[in-house]
Coordinates of all heavy atoms in Angstrom, one line a residue:
H7 N 6.0 6.6 3.8 CA 4.7 7.0 3.4 C 3.9 5.9 2.8 O 4.3 5.2 1.9 CB 4.8 8.2 2.4 CG 5.4 9.4 3.0 ND1 5.8 10.5 2.3 CD2 5.7 9.7 4.3 CE1 6.3 11.4 3.0 NE2 6.3 11.0 4.3
H107 N -2.0 -6.0 -2.0 CA -3.4 -6.1 -1.8 C -3.7 -6.8 -0.4 O -3.2 -7.9 -0.2 CB -4.1 -6.8 -2.9 CG -5.6 -7.0 -2.7 ND1 -6.4 -5.9 -2.6 CD2 -6.4 -8.1 -2.6 CE1 -7.6 -6.3 -2.4 NE2 -7.6 -7.6 -2.5
V152 N 12.0 -6.5 -3.6 CA 11.4 -7.8 -3.8 C 11.0 -8.4 -2.4 O 9.9 -8.9 -2.3 CB 12.3 -8.7 -4.6 CG1 11.8 -10.1 -4.7 CG2 12.6 -8.1 -6.0
R163 N -2.3 -11.8 3.1 CA -3.0 -13.1 3.1 C -3.3 -13.6 4.5 O -4.1 -14.5 4.7 CB -2.2 -14.2 2.4 CG -2.2 -14.0 0.9 CD -1.5 -15.2 0.1 NE -0.2 -15.5 0.6 CZ 0.9 -14.9 0.1 NH1 0.8 -14.0 -0.9 NH2 2.1 -15.2 0.5

Side-chain angles (χ1 to χ4, degrees):
H7 293 172
H107 179 58
V152 173
R163 290 187 301 271

